Amino acid sequence: QVKEMNDVEFPNSFLVLGKQKALGLQARSQEEMEAWIQACQEAISQNEQKTESFKAAASIPVQEIQQLTYEKAELGKRAPQWIRDKMVSMCMRCKEQFNPFTRRRHHCRACGYVVCWKCSDYKAKLEYDENRLNRVCRDCYSVLQGQLENEEKEDRKKGILEKDSAEVSGRSLMCSFLQLLDKSGKSGTRGWFVIPRDEPLVLYMYAAPQDVKAQTSIPLLGYQVNELPQNDSRHMFQLVQSKLVYTFVAESEEQKKRWVEIINWVANGENALLGEESDEFDD
Ligand SMILES: [Zn+2]
Ligand SMILES: [Zn+2]
């Protein structure tokens, strides 16, 4: 943080405040001080942006994902937080994959979801924007128009992979980015992996942390999990069941150990602590 001191004893002075240190500086003139303050502020915001995108690339805390879910009753009353483009690989409404040519990303101005043009080809008046017409997704459109047709749709039976990653990750035993190596072990696919708390025997793989449908799932029962010795600074572990082997690369040694610990725990059926009290001693 940087701010003017406004102290008559020290004219043209300003403060640079850090987490651990504060620095008071005095300039020769008002203009010089203002130039310094501006330069500092620019440097700070540049640095923040850098840290921000670095964080997004490295790992995304679950809390951040959850905050983005919206309240239906608040729809259109205030500007939504836009879900970042890179948090999803598919339209959050129709679940079709995005691509730069025929299916590009758009934002619904009511819920902030990332959706395709087809699913956002609607306009509705939004209170927060002085009731001007804005691009909205089809779900928000029907809610805002007071149509309830999509409630029926939600009732239809969902496929096993049609689980909202943000929702599942928010109450998960473990979730993070991992790389799943292919058979050659040389390349692999980076994905967002989740073990849901209420379904601890399944490992879901999403292309991106806020996708509304998983790419695949691996049932964990019967798998053995092995830590691999640290190899050219890669943090690897394997899921093994007779001839089937999945090799994963974690982002850190600590993250690897947590995955191994949790999978070990659930795959061996020791999930008594997950919900109800265990009554195994109660004959
Ligand atoms: Zn769509
Ligand atoms: Zn919407």
Side-chain angles (χ1 to χ4, degrees), residues 91-96 103 115-119 138:
C91 168
M92 295 177 81
R93 294 305 182 195
C94 71
K95 306 180 179 68
E96 292 288 335
R103 202 177 300 272
V115 288
C116 71
W117 67 270
K118 250 189 202 164
C119 295
R138 60 176 155 84

Side-chain angles (χ1 to χ4, degrees), residues 70 75 93 108-113 136-140:
Y70 66 96
L75 219 51
R93 294 305 182 195
C108 167
R109 268 60 173 177
C111 66
Y113 274 25
V136 296
C137 71
R138 60 176 155 84
D139 289 38
C140 290

Side-chain angles (χ1 to χ4, degrees), residues 224-258:
Q224 217 196 318
V225 58
N226 301 321
E227 259 184 75
L228 297 186
Q230 201 167 332
N231 175 358
D232 51 36
S233 76
R234 290 201 294 181
H235 315 282
M236 302 201 281
F237 64 94
Q238 280 184 327
L239 283 178
V240 185
Q241 187 178 52
S242 54
K243 284 197 184 107
L244 261 174
V245 180
Y246 294 101
T247 309
F248 296 94
V249 184
E251 287 168 327
S252 68
E253 198 59 16
E254 192 202 338
Q255 191 188 61
K256 179 189 86 177
K257 290 210 183 315
R258 279 186 62 201

Side-chain angles (χ1 to χ4, degrees), residues 56-67:
S59 72
I60 293 155
V62 189
Q63 302 89 297
E64 200 176 330
I65 296 178
Q66 277 180 296
Q67 277 171 15

